[in-house]
Amino acid sequence: MRILFIHKDGLEGTGSATYAGILIRAFRGSHEVKSFSSISDLDGNWDIIHVLDVKHFDPTLLNNIRSKLVIDVHDAHWAPGEPFYPVPDWPLRTYLALKRRREYTPILDRAGGVIVHSKYVAARLSLWKTHVVPYAINISADRNVRPTIKIVPINKRPPHIVFAGRDYFRKGITVLRKAWRHVRSEEHTSELQSHSFISYAVFCLKKKNNTT
C-alpha cells in the first residue's frame, strides 16, 4: 500500500509529532510511505492520503487531492455540544471553536475515514462516521527523558489513580482542582504529584490499601 502522510514537523516528545513518528515507523516496514513536503506530492498514485491532525491541515489542498483521504481528529472542543468549562480565555475559545468548526467541517465531509482516539471525541463528532483507535505515548522510548525515568515493576508499585494532562488551565487543571477537593475529603491519604520531566504533568492519587 502507498501512503502519503500529512503532518506537522517537530521534535518527538509529546503531542502530534510523537504520534506521527510512531505511526510512520510502524507503517514503513510493510508499506511504501512518504511525508508530505510539497503540493507536487499529491500527484502521486497514493492508495491513502492520511492527515495525522486535522488542525495542521491546509484546507486549500483539498482541491488537489484525488486519493482516498483519512483524517485524524485529536480533540473536540470545537464541536457542537461541547460542555462549557470556566476558563479565563472563554471568549477567545468560543470564537476559535466557531472558526474551527467552519474550517474542519468541509474537510471531514470530504474524508473517507475519520480516526479519533477516544470514545468521548467520537461522541462529539457524531455527524461523521468515526473509528476509535486508542493510543498512548511511550515516554520511555524518548532518549531525551529516558534517563530521568525509573521503571518500577507494576507488582511493586503502590495503587494509584492517575490523571494525565498538562499543568495548564486549557488542559484540565481547572477540572482537576475542583475534583481534588472531593477526592481529598474521601481519601485523606491521597497525594497530588506533578512530574515535570515532560511537558505533560501526571497527577497521581495514592490510594490507601484497605486492611481488615
Side-chain angles (χ1 to χ4, degrees), residues 180-190 207-208:
W180 181 249
R181 293 194 296 268
H182 301 286
V183 171
R184 186 66 175 166
S185 66
E186 294 292 329
E187 180 53 73
H188 300 297
T189 62
S190 58
K207 190 170 177 60
K208 180 175 63 176

Side-chain angles (χ1 to χ4, degrees), residues 39-205:
I39 196 169
S40 62
D41 290 333
L42 301 177
D43 297 330
N45 185 26
W46 303 105
D47 296 301
I48 293 174
I49 294 178
H50 189 169
V51 176
L52 297 185
D53 195 334
V54 66
K55 64 174 172 281
H56 298 148
F57 178 66
D58 180 358
T60 63
L61 297 177
L62 279 177
N63 292 333
N64 300 91
I65 292 178
R66 302 290 180 265
S67 306
K68 185 172 183 179
L69 183 64
V70 175
I71 306 283
D72 267 75
V73 181
H74 295 262
D75 57 57
H77 56 79
W78 52 272
E82 184 70 3
F84 168 75
Y85 295 108
V87 292
D89 64 347
W90 174 80
L92 176 61
R93 287 174 66 82
T94 300
Y95 164 75
L96 290 176
L98 294 173
K99 178 176 182 292
R100 288 167 179 158
R101 194 177 307 167
R102 289 194 298 267
E103 293 174 352
Y104 297 170
T105 295
I107 299 173
L108 298 180
D109 287 344
R110 173 71 183 278
V114 178
I115 296 176
V116 299
H117 304 286
S118 70
K119 292 181 179 180
Y120 177 83
V121 174
R124 298 273 68 81
L125 304 187
S126 58
L127 295 176
W128 299 276
K129 181 175 176 56
T130 58
H131 306 273
V132 179
V133 180
Y135 73 88
I137 294 174
N138 180 12
I139 59 173
S140 64
D142 187 330
R143 61 180 180 273
N144 295 320
V145 301
R146 182 184 296 173
T148 68
I149 300 173
K150 181 180 180 181
I151 305 300
V152 180
I154 194 167
N155 62 336
K156 295 183 179 180
R157 301 177 195 172
H160 286 79
I161 300 172
V162 178
F163 170 89
R166 289 191 68 182
D167 185 5
Y168 191 53
F169 69 86
R170 292 181 181 177
K171 298 294 183 177
I173 189 65
T174 304
V175 177
L176 176 67
R177 290 183 63 183
K178 290 177 65 175
W180 181 249
R181 293 194 296 268
H182 301 286
V183 171
R184 186 66 175 166
S185 66
E186 294 292 329
E187 180 53 73
H188 300 297
T189 62
S190 58
E191 298 176 0
L192 188 61
Q193 306 170 9
S194 176
H195 300 279
S196 57
F197 51 82
I198 54 174
S199 61
Y200 277 69
V202 179
F203 303 94
C204 300
L205 166 60

Side-chain angles (χ1 to χ4, degrees), residues 3-35:
I3 307 171
L4 177 67
F5 289 104
I6 300 178
H7 59 93
K8 181 180 179 181
D9 292 330
L11 297 175
E12 292 188 32
T14 59
S16 58
T18 297
Y19 173 63
I22 292 172
L23 194 63
I24 292 170
R25 286 193 295 271
F27 275 84
R28 186 171 287 141
S30 54
H31 301 281
E32 181 182 345
V33 302
K34 176 180 172 59
S35 292

